[in-house]
Amino acid sequence: MSAAILATAPSFCLAHEGPDPLARWRFDSQGIATEGETTTLRARRGPNGTVLGKHQIIGEKYEEAIFLPGDRSGIVLADDHNQVAAFLPGEALTVSAVVSVDRPEKWGGLVGVIQDNGSHEAGWLLGYDQTTFTFALRGENGPGSLTYLKGSTKYEAGKLYHVVAVYDGKTMQIYVNGKLDAESTAQSGPIHYPSKAPFMLGAYRDDNEFHGHRGRIRDIVLYDLAAKKAWVEHDYEHNADLAKLPPVAIHDPLDFVIDPYLQFGTQTTMTVMWRSNRPAMGTLCYGETADCSQRIDVSDLKTIHEIRIENLLPETQYFYRTETRLSEEEEPLRSEVATFQTAVKEETPFAFAVISDTQGNPAVSGKLAGFAWEQRPSFLLHPGDLVSNGPDDSHWTQHFFPSMNPLIRHVPFYPVLGNHERNAQYYYDYVSLPTPEYYYTYRFGNAQFFMIDTNRNVDPESEQYQWLEKELAQSDATWKFVCHHHPPYSSDENDYGNLWKTNKGTRGDTKARQLVPLYEKHHVDIVWNGHIHSYERTWPILQNKAVDTGAPIYMITGGGGGHLETPGPVRPFFMNTVRRGHHYAMVRINGSKLEFQAYDLDNRLFDQMVIEKKAGRDQE
């Protein structure tokens, strides 16, 4: 066997006469097969892979390549690289790829096994950043961390490149289109692998990050030998025609980024929203049967679609579905038929769910949303921190909306801003609420809800305070509820002073506590809060003292998904019930009677309360 690929090889030979690769993948229509819901990449040599997410095969014959849409797409060769260790390089490596990058990423991945979590850095990865191709690797005798070798050639979005990474046990190199682009001697020795990590194509993925590649991949070849410059140049010659092709702008097939959901329902109106991946026309079909015979057409091309149905009947079940199309001639993208009910009349019983701080944990928030939907609430009240980082669109499109959709496709949700939304524009894009949207009020049955943003000023001179005072004073609702993110009263161990080190904590948000006199003056029944990732129910509180009835109760329902928090070491005067754990709550109202129940992550009841209004006083 010719040894031209070896670092010690004295001569050059054709690539097809060289050493056998560890693995070779050709991303064409012959190499990718779909059976049922599973799509498999069949390796020409080495392990097969499972394709995650949607994909397209782009081009014809020689130019055929897979196009991955990004986000959480990619190809899994093994969830644990140890399962395919025979196909992984050890002392040295060469990996060759023909790829395009259609969307720059801070952490882009094409092929590799990597773990990069603080002090736990190991493996290797051919990838890219926001401007150039990169090669990450840790050697056994290196500095004890990964070296990210950054190329110098700036890639052009949508253009194919021939990229090669080489490591000979002493030197890391990147070649782009046959030319040496960067090298480093920071690492040495055999490749230091993590104890367990996925072996991926078309993604940067470790145990806490997943960044899918958006772009084309034509082929990837992996060797356990270090290529010399002459071999790389010759390998590029085989792919030069591809690298000389102009950039191609690939459009995804029309699809949902966010499935249809409901906003701000009243007795006679309902708003339906959804997001498509391409600007398109939107149609809302609806009616009193699943045929959805009535329709509202919007011809403007949009990605965020918002259609309001008017002139509906109170407390009536309706069916709806959406149609999204790129042009009048094309077949539309249709959603499944879903249902909703308009708001009930004042004398009709109703129920609502309360879930807060769903941030960053779609597995938990989705489970709670499913439990809540099983109880058929009329709507969802959300006291803020819908997501972990409001300016990060993926937290909305990949966390909040997918996990909550089983509930919010059937009932509208009424949110307030938490601190983690960071007042991001995405919040305002994805909700449809009365102006200015960060504070508003709505009525449902015989209750009125007052929604406040405690990230902003709420002192007596503030816009929100004065608006709230006016609205509370003129409300004639039987039940008055206020919702804002920060709790005026909380027994949390360290959010308002470390109670394991001092007894001088404020035991609640002092800024939000400025609103308490309004609640007491205008007979607010319950104040709904989040922020603290636990559950807490207070006694009725009047003038900073616990009373038996006739004063506001403060509820923290922050167990919707965020990292759990713990109460402090002693019981403050206001505490009735506190519990660490994920949860949701249900509130049921029938005239002057309110029933409240809280459920844990196993859907087990752990707290309940009844309030009955009699002779002008509340009885708990």
Side-chain angles (χ1 to χ4, degrees), residues 223-443:
Y223 300 87
D224 60 353
L225 303 168
K228 296 189 70 174
K229 179 181 178 182
W231 182 91
V232 176
E233 291 173 345
H234 187 72
D235 194 51
Y236 168 65
E237 290 176 8
H238 285 276
N239 297 282
D241 289 344
L242 294 170
K244 293 176 182 177
L245 293 172
V248 175
I250 309 260
H251 295 294
D252 295 331
L254 186 62
D255 202 358
F256 291 108
V257 177
I258 300 174
D259 288 328
Y261 61 97
L262 301 174
Q263 282 285 279
F264 208 80
T266 71
Q267 290 186 0
T268 59
T269 67
M270 183 64 73
T271 297
V272 179
M273 297 185 69
W274 72 99
R275 179 179 164 188
S276 56
N277 62 340
R278 297 173 62 181
M281 297 179 288
T283 295
L284 177 60
C285 304
Y286 69 98
E288 294 189 39
T289 70
D291 293 335
C292 301
S293 57
Q294 296 174 268
R295 58 190 291 132
I296 302 173
D297 295 301
V298 177
S299 59
D300 295 343
L301 298 179
K302 298 180 179 181
T303 56
I304 298 177
H305 305 266
E306 178 181 338
I307 299 179
R308 184 181 182 187
I309 314 173
E310 298 183 334
N311 301 315
L312 300 173
L313 299 174
E315 55 184 66
T316 300
Q317 176 181 338
Y318 287 90
F319 298 81
Y320 77 96
R321 61 176 172 83
T322 65
E323 294 182 357
T324 313
R325 52 168 54 86
L326 298 172
S327 68
E328 295 289 354
E329 295 74 27
E330 295 194 30
E331 186 70 14
L333 170 69
R334 292 185 174 90
S335 70
E336 296 181 358
V337 175
T339 60
F340 67 81
Q341 184 183 39
T342 47
V344 301
K345 298 176 182 177
E346 185 171 351
E347 67 274 11
T348 303
F350 66 96
F352 61 94
V354 187
I355 307 175
S356 185
D357 295 75
T358 47
Q359 60 194 77
N361 197 341
V364 168
S365 58
K367 190 174 182 180
L368 296 174
F371 288 150
W373 167 236
E374 289 176 1
Q375 302 217 33
R376 297 300 190 265
S378 304
F379 60 89
L380 169 66
L381 183 72
H382 197 304
D385 277 3
L386 289 72
V387 297
S388 289
N389 184 20
D392 187 336
D393 191 32
S394 69
H395 287 207
W396 299 94
T397 61
Q398 297 177 31
H399 296 174
F400 178 77
F401 282 107
S403 69
M404 301 300 289
N405 189 261
L407 177 60
I408 63 177
R409 69 194 295 256
H410 293 293
V411 303
F413 71 94
Y414 298 85
V416 293
L417 283 153
N419 54 298
H420 279 271
E421 274 72 64
R422 296 172 58 187
N423 204 41
Q425 184 59 41
Y426 290 122
Y427 176 86
Y428 298 96
D429 291 342
Y430 293 145
V431 302
S432 180
L433 304 169
T435 304
E437 295 192 307
Y438 60 85
Y439 69 84
Y440 61 99
T441 184
Y442 68 97
R443 293 192 68 135

Side-chain angles (χ1 to χ4, degrees), residues 99 101 104 110 126-135 149-157 159-164 173-183 236 243:
V99 299
V101 177
L110 298 169
L126 174 61
Y128 54 93
D129 61 17
Q130 292 165 324
T131 55
T132 69
F133 293 100
T134 61
F135 176 30
L149 178 61
K150 179 178 171 62
S152 58
T153 299
K154 293 185 178 180
Y155 58 76
E156 184 177 354
K159 183 175 177 59
L160 286 171
Y161 290 87
H162 175 259
V163 187
V164 177
Q173 296 177 319
I174 299 178
Y175 291 84
V176 177
N177 289 346
K179 296 181 179 180
L180 182 64
D181 208 46
E183 65 180 350
Y236 168 65

